[in-house]
Amino acid sequence: MRVIVVDYGAGNVESVRRAVWLAGFDPEISSAPEEVLAADRIILPGVGAAGRAVAALRARGLDEALDEAVCRRGRPMLGICLGMQLLAETLYEFGCHRGLGWIPGSVVPMRDVIGDGLRVPHMGWNSVTATDTGAMFFPGSREPGHFYFAHSYALDVRPEDPIAAATVIYGRTMVAAVRWNAVFATQFHPEKSQDSGERLLGAFFDWAP
Amino acid sequence: MLTQRLIPGLLLRGGRLAKGERFASYQDAGLPHTTARAYIAQGADEILLLDVDASRVGRGPDLDAVRAVAAECQVPLTVGGGIRTVADGHACMAAGADKLCVTMTALDRSDLITELAEIFGSQAVVLGIDVLTDDGARRLYDHRNGDMVGRDPLAWARDGIARGAGEIRLMAVDREGTRRGMDLDLLEAVRHAVQVPIVLEGGAGTLEHLDAAFAAGADGVAVGTMLVFSDNNLVKIKRYLADRGRNVRA
């Protein structure tokens, strides 16, 4: 299986590469659109500010390559953190940026979502709950334990939306992962979630959408 | 439910670990990556790797050490010490850091906080604040020369967050290595001043000290001395905290 970790200058690609390696695969790290098109599994990581990240994807032609590989050819993709948020229509972070538009919705400041009283960023290990949509990624339990979150912005997809694959509670119930067609994407960091993350990555590689 | 984090702090000097008291009288405490591996296996929620020499001697981060620890790290890794520029930040992230901690270098040039946040996001920028409390007066401490910095710690916390930092590593310098308990008044003051997560450091010597810090609302507690020179370990500590009803990751 050819696994690619997309490197567009805004990801913790080394951490992701190690985690994928521990899951039993030897991924390529690349920013080349043709590598994206040649891969069997695509991972879009993301740590960083939204505006720069979307600009970097477009500057390398990766937006079109991802659209072709994932949306048209159905190659499974895992988006992580910012790699999930970039799939939204609009990202309101240090301004207003146009995302890839795969998910109908916006990425908005956490503070607007949860109100006052809790610390932002949402930082640390939080317990997630799998939905019917996401059950295949959390083998064995709908309460698969704690995953590592680190984000100041949130995707405004409702927890009861059919694409919601997992939820998390921080002030209110929020979407922690989404799935539709060949896309699975998490707000948390499986590559930094120790055993829980390793199981989830294994399930992603087993997944046949 | 979001858990409260227990974070082993690894102090790096010349490629090896050190444990000191008030930034002095360091003792050798082993190799960073083998120690990190043990802590992670025991349930560390995050690793904090601080190069205590870098700023003092004016060099950049020890990237070899970052790489070695990162290779063991299936949990988040925060790296601090010697990050003076965006290029230093990039080098640390490429070596496997997940978050960047700036302390002295942010005091020297506060624009650095914004520069890092605009690239890596606020959630990846940790502002380190070293506070020395003397006779009730709280002042910022410069460990490079032992001097006080003429800024109010709470004002600096607010300023640093406004500039883009997403977390505070709050060190009570006068408690460090003393094992006489954590500075919960300082924690409360900074919690009141800012709305980002706070990792408290300095003074933990007993299980009760950690429990008190979590009860006081610390989002995380960094522990060093307590793990290095005692019979405590993270498994035992977490079991104790869970038994006391604290919300920790099993």
Side-chain angles (χ1 to χ4, degrees):
Chain A
M1 187 184 287
R2 288 181 73 162
V3 180
I4 181 176
V5 178
V6 183
D7 181 8
Y8 56 102
N12 54 341
V13 291
E14 260 314 295
S15 296
V16 175
R17 190 190 62 75
R18 268 188 219 102
V20 170
W21 188 81
L22 286 171
F25 299 92
D26 195 8
E28 286 182 53
I29 293 175
S30 175
S31 57
E34 55 273 21
E35 295 289 334
V36 170
L37 292 168
D40 301 307
R41 285 283 191 286
I42 298 161
I43 300 181
L44 185 65
V47 171
R52 295 176 65 99
V54 286
L57 273 182
R58 292 204 170 94
R60 291 168 168 82
L62 287 164
D63 54 336
E64 288 174 10
L66 289 168
D67 188 63
E68 173 65 26
V70 181
C71 300
R72 293 174 200 275
R73 300 188 194 170
R75 295 279 189 275
M77 182 180 101
L78 170 63
I80 299 173
C81 195
L82 183 59
M84 172 181 90
Q85 298 184 352
L86 294 177
L87 308 180
E89 289 170 323
T90 312
L91 296 93
Y92 295 97
E93 179 179 346
F94 291 120
C96 172
H97 313 279
R98 189 167 55 86
L100 298 189
W102 297 5
I103 305 174
S106 307
V107 173
V108 298
M110 284 280 295
R111 186 62 75 201
D112 296 354
V113 178
I114 63 171
D116 288 331
L118 286 170
R119 308 263 139 188
V120 171
H122 175 212
M123 181 94 78
W125 297 79
N126 205 334
S127 47
V128 310
T129 301
T131 67
D132 289 345
T133 298
M136 71 279 276
F137 299 107
F138 303 94
S141 176
R142 291 296 180 93
E143 303 291 338
H146 295 95
F147 288 83
Y148 185 75
F149 290 80
H151 61 118
S152 310
Y153 296 83
L155 182 65
D156 68 355
V157 169
R158 288 173 304 113
E160 54 276 8
D161 192 292
I163 72 167
T167 59
V168 63
I169 298 173
Y170 192 61
R172 51 171 283 187
T173 303
M174 296 182 294
V175 165
V178 292
R179 173 183 77 83
W180 78 103
N181 296 335
V183 178
F184 176 55
T186 63
Q187 179 59 68
F188 53 81
H189 287 273
E191 79 283 10
K192 285 285 152 185
S193 295
Q194 215 168 358
D195 300 355
S196 310
E198 202 174 321
R199 279 192 292 276
L200 181 134
L201 285 174
F204 169 70
F205 290 116
D206 288 342
W207 180 42
Chain B
M1 192 175 178
L2 187 68
T3 63
Q4 291 171 294
R5 286 168 280 157
L6 202 56
I7 304 170
L10 307 181
L11 297 187
L12 197 60
R13 290 188 93 207
R16 289 183 68 86
L17 293 183
K19 191 68 206 97
E21 186 173 329
R22 297 178 58 164
F23 293 109
S25 60
Y26 290 102
Q27 299 180 51
D28 189 78
L31 284 169
H33 67 281
T34 51
T35 304
R37 184 190 305 155
Y39 287 159
I40 292 161
Q42 291 170 7
D45 295 310
E46 185 172 325
I47 297 288
L48 173 64
L49 181 65
L50 289 179
D51 187 334
V52 291
D53 279 344
S55 281
R56 185 154 35 199
V57 302
R59 64 163 167 76
D62 184 341
L63 296 174
D64 288 337
V66 175
R67 269 188 289 271
V69 171
E72 306 289 341
C73 246
Q74 278 183 285
V75 300
L77 172 62
T78 301
V79 170
I83 300 170
R84 298 157 299 188
T85 62
V86 165
D88 288 333
H90 270 299
C92 287
M93 297 300 261
D98 297 289
K99 294 192 266 187
L100 306 169
C101 181
V102 288
T103 308
M104 287 300 121
T105 52
L107 271 174
D108 290 343
R109 193 172 69 81
S110 47
D111 286 346
L112 175 64
I113 299 170
T114 312
E115 292 167 11
L116 294 172
E118 282 179 354
I119 291 175
F120 304 109
S122 287
Q123 86 296 329
V125 181
V126 181
L127 176 63
I129 300 185
D130 294 338
V131 181
L132 186 80
T133 304
D134 186 20
D135 214 9
R138 295 187 185 112
R139 291 190 291 177
L140 287 169
Y141 179 79
D142 186 337
H143 71 79
R144 293 171 297 192
N145 47 28
D147 285 349
M148 296 304 141
V149 180
R151 301 178 74 158
D152 171 49
L154 298 183
W156 174 229
R158 280 189 287 265
D159 187 25
I161 299 313
R163 289 173 184 274
E167 185 166 65
I168 287 178
R169 180 191 65 83
L170 181 63
M171 160 69 97
V173 176
D174 47 299
R175 309 271 179 133
E176 202 225 348
T178 65
R179 298 188 236 179
R180 64 184 174 92
M182 308 197 82
D183 192 339
L184 304 184
D185 293 336
L186 175 64
L187 172 67
E188 178 57 30
V190 179
R191 271 177 62 81
H192 189 71
V194 297
Q195 289 208 305
V196 299
I198 297 167
V199 174
L200 185 64
E201 189 174 7
T206 66
L207 297 171
E208 290 77 11
H209 291 156
L210 297 177
D211 185 50
F214 279 164
D219 300 283
V221 170
V223 282
T225 304
M226 196 174 158
L227 295 176
V228 177
F229 299 119
S230 79
D231 63 352
N232 285 300
N233 63 56
L234 291 165
V235 176
K236 183 174 159 186
I237 292 170
K238 280 194 154 180
R239 193 180 302 132
Y240 172 84
L241 292 170
D243 287 348
R244 296 292 304 252
R246 299 293 159 224
N247 183 28
V248 291
R249 183 175 68 110

